[in-house]
Amino acid sequence: MTYQLYRNTTLGNTLQETLDELIQFQQISPNAALKVLLQFDRAINSALAGKVRSRISFKAAKLNTYRFCDNVWTFLMSDVEFKEVQDFVQVDKLKIVACDGRGPGPGGASGGGD
Amino acid sequence: MDQLLPSPGFSIPSIGTPLPHSGEEEMILLSAQQKQQQQSTQEQQQQSSQQQQPQGSQMGQQQQGSQMGQQQFSSGLTPHTLLQPHTPNLMSPAMGTGGSQVGVGSMFGSALGPSTPAGGPMTPMTPHSNDPGIVPQLQNIVSTVNLNCKLDLKKIALHARNAEYNPKRFAAVIMRIREPRTTALIFSSGKMVCTGAKSEDDSRLAARKYARIVQKLGFPAKFMEFKIQNMVGSCDVKFPIRLEGLVLTHSQFSSYEPELFPGLIYRMVKPRIVLLIFVSGKVVLTGAKVRNQIYEAFDNIYPILKSFKKQ
């Protein structure tokens, strides 16, 4: 079972908008668009699980809230610093939604900041 | 929230069962000193009339008998027996715990029962061990409350903040609040366990906060049968203790297995408190339903620990 978690990412949203446009111009059927999205889910899950090697760590000043329901963790943090060797990204608010990676299918986590 | 009742937490026997309170440590210390002075009047008359008695297993019984109930000795001894110089060493179990400790209690100046009218004030012949004013600090309080309505745990976990719900592992929502810093286990039956508070009032306040959160989510939550189930306290006697000696003399109450656990587990009978006693002199007291049981237990154990001080 692949998570549809990654549809709400920059890449996933762009894809969805493109597909919607194509449907509007009646160049593809909605069914085809759905199949594209399902394929996207599979592709992105396997890519992130297998092909990505780089690591990044982060540290937050405060964990505002946490939630665990349906095997999904949701964290809301403030004042977060993402550190790689050279990079340094600071973020005021961060939301992390994490699905179980060890489930029957591949899992993953996606985060959003502003 | 509940009104704080202005009664001392420490049990001055003549006043009666204490009611929950908070932050009255100074009052407690003062009353501890008063109680000590009351006892000294008993001890003085005994010490002047008694000789050295074998210490042995008396010490084991002493702590039991030292809580003698309100105004009379629990085993039914009359004050009259206190006055007899050589009360037969009532070691036999038939006498109960009251007998032997009566003679012995004064020797160690332990926290005896409340003042009895027996004897008048006499000048102390030997200084008795004074309660040094160490007061055990409460570390954890576990309480339960019934919200009196069935709950949809998934809804609570989805809408409340700081909640965990993993029905495969545990059939309750684990929720935490920051003030007072506590954790609650909320079950679908409507019953709730609140842990982590440092005082009785904090525990009640925290339980009310959790009930309010559940109420705000749309459930008709009530606050029924709030009860404190367990209280844990800890303190430091500030001297090292010979645990081996303690387990030898108080074998009926102690269990000490250093290969298993480095602390001696002392199961006091009255009050029914379990104490973990460590070589360093740190003591953990648990199993109390009310604050005074912790204080009482510590007052009972302190003279025993002093006699096992590592020199």
Side-chain angles (χ1 to χ4, degrees):
Chain A
M1 195 202 63
T2 44
Y3 293 110
Q4 297 184 354
L5 184 60
Y6 300 104
R7 292 193 191 182
N8 191 20
T9 54
T10 318
L11 197 55
N13 279 325
T14 327
L15 178 63
Q16 283 184 309
E17 283 166 27
T18 314
L19 289 171
D20 286 338
E21 241 186 74
L22 289 174
I23 293 173
Q24 251 189 354
F25 295 133
Q26 301 193 334
Q27 288 178 318
I28 59 168
S29 67
N31 197 22
L34 188 62
K35 283 201 168 156
V36 170
L37 284 171
L38 287 171
Q39 179 56 30
F40 168 74
D41 291 334
R42 278 184 291 244
I44 190 90
N45 272 296
S46 69
L48 285 171
K51 302 224 179 97
V52 175
R53 294 272 169 262
S54 58
R55 284 201 194 292
I56 198 167
S57 67
F58 67 93
K59 187 178 167 200
K62 184 165 184 198
L63 174 68
N64 291 334
T65 56
Y66 64 87
R67 176 175 294 118
F68 183 63
C69 196
D70 290 329
N71 246 3
V72 177
W73 276 106
T74 308
F75 299 105
L76 275 162
M77 302 175 197
S78 50
D79 281 331
V80 192
E81 269 176 12
F82 283 88
K83 275 187 212 171
E84 229 182 341
V85 186
Q86 63 280 35
D87 283 337
F88 209 106
V89 182
Q90 198 124 24
V91 146
D92 279 338
K93 278 198 174 4
L94 176 73
K95 179 175 186 175
I96 296 180
V97 179
C99 298
D100 193 348
R102 282 167 296 138
S110 82
D114 58 336
Chain B
M1 297 300 141
D2 300 330
Q3 295 298 323
L4 284 181
L5 296 154
S7 56
F10 190 81
S11 167
I12 300 175
S14 51
I15 287 179
T17 324
L19 294 161
H21 78 302
S22 70
E24 292 178 274
E25 306 294 356
E26 309 88 62
M27 261 185 87
I28 291 160
L29 179 54
L30 183 62
S31 57
Q33 288 171 351
Q34 289 172 1
K35 197 177 169 203
Q36 204 56 34
Q37 283 156 20
Q38 286 170 356
Q39 293 151 18
S40 68
T41 58
Q42 301 170 32
E43 291 154 5
Q44 288 148 19
Q45 68 197 357
Q46 291 170 24
Q47 283 170 349
S48 61
S49 58
Q50 280 177 349
Q51 311 275 335
Q52 192 74 14
Q53 291 185 5
Q55 313 215 339
S57 56
Q58 292 180 5
M59 289 164 65
Q61 313 227 324
Q62 163 211 325
Q63 58 80 29
Q64 290 176 353
S66 62
Q67 296 315 313
M68 303 280 259
Q70 294 284 333
Q71 291 269 349
Q72 64 246 4
F73 296 96
S74 54
S75 64
L77 285 178
T78 62
H80 175 63
T81 54
L82 275 180
L83 294 172
Q84 291 169 6
H86 290 290
T87 347
N89 278 341
L90 305 159
M91 300 297 198
S92 63
M95 254 319 283
T97 61
S100 53
Q101 84 75 36
V102 166
V104 171
S106 63
M107 296 301 293
F108 306 101
S110 67
L112 263 187
S115 59
T116 63
M122 286 161 76
T123 40
M125 303 304 285
T126 32
H128 57 77
S129 64
N130 229 322
D131 171 24
I134 301 175
V135 179
Q137 298 303 309
L138 288 178
Q139 302 293 348
N140 181 28
I141 301 202
V142 179
S143 58
T144 54
V145 73
N146 186 5
L147 303 177
N148 219 13
C149 67
K150 293 273 170 280
L151 300 175
D152 180 359
L153 295 186
K154 187 148 168 197
K155 184 177 175 200
I156 294 177
L158 280 174
H159 291 94
R161 297 204 212 138
N162 299 329
E164 294 164 47
Y165 180 46
N166 194 359
K168 285 184 293 177
R169 234 187 74 200
F170 190 55
V173 167
I174 302 157
M175 199 185 297
R176 292 180 177 87
I177 56 173
R178 287 196 165 92
E179 184 53 55
R181 198 167 283 274
T182 49
T183 304
L185 305 175
I186 305 172
F187 294 86
S188 53
S189 62
K191 297 225 169 113
M192 180 170 79
V193 181
C194 175
T195 63
K198 298 274 193 210
S199 79
E200 305 90 321
D201 290 328
D202 272 358
S203 191
R204 198 188 176 95
L205 176 64
R208 285 204 108 102
K209 286 192 176 179
Y210 289 114
R212 195 165 358 118
I213 294 172
V214 170
Q215 212 172 49
K216 282 195 177 162
L217 288 174
F219 299 97
K222 305 273 176 301
F223 198 74
M224 318 263 286
E225 299 146 17
F226 174 82
K227 185 178 176 206
I228 289 176
Q229 302 290 355
N230 184 30
M231 298 172 77
V232 182
S234 71
C235 55
D236 186 5
V237 298
K238 303 275 199 284
F239 53 79
I241 302 169
R242 283 181 289 121
L243 298 182
E244 269 304 334
L246 182 54
V247 73
L248 280 171
T249 46
H250 290 76
S251 49
Q252 316 129 276
F253 312 106
S254 324
S255 84
Y256 177 46
E257 207 104 19
E259 295 180 7
L260 221 49
F261 185 64
L264 185 151
I265 302 163
Y266 193 104
R267 293 176 191 278
M268 196 174 282
V269 172
K270 193 179 184 319
R272 204 167 78 85
I273 299 284
V274 175
L275 299 90
L276 303 177
I277 304 166
F278 295 89
V279 181
S280 58
K282 298 245 176 19
V283 180
V284 175
L285 308 94
T286 183
K289 285 276 194 291
V290 287
R291 188 186 276 249
N292 287 303
Q293 289 177 328
I294 301 262
Y295 295 148
E296 228 180 276
F298 182 67
D299 287 342
N300 290 349
I301 203 80
Y302 188 75
I304 299 171
L305 295 180
K306 265 185 63 168
S307 66
F308 284 100
K309 186 173 180 171
K310 248 189 220 173
Q311 300 299 359

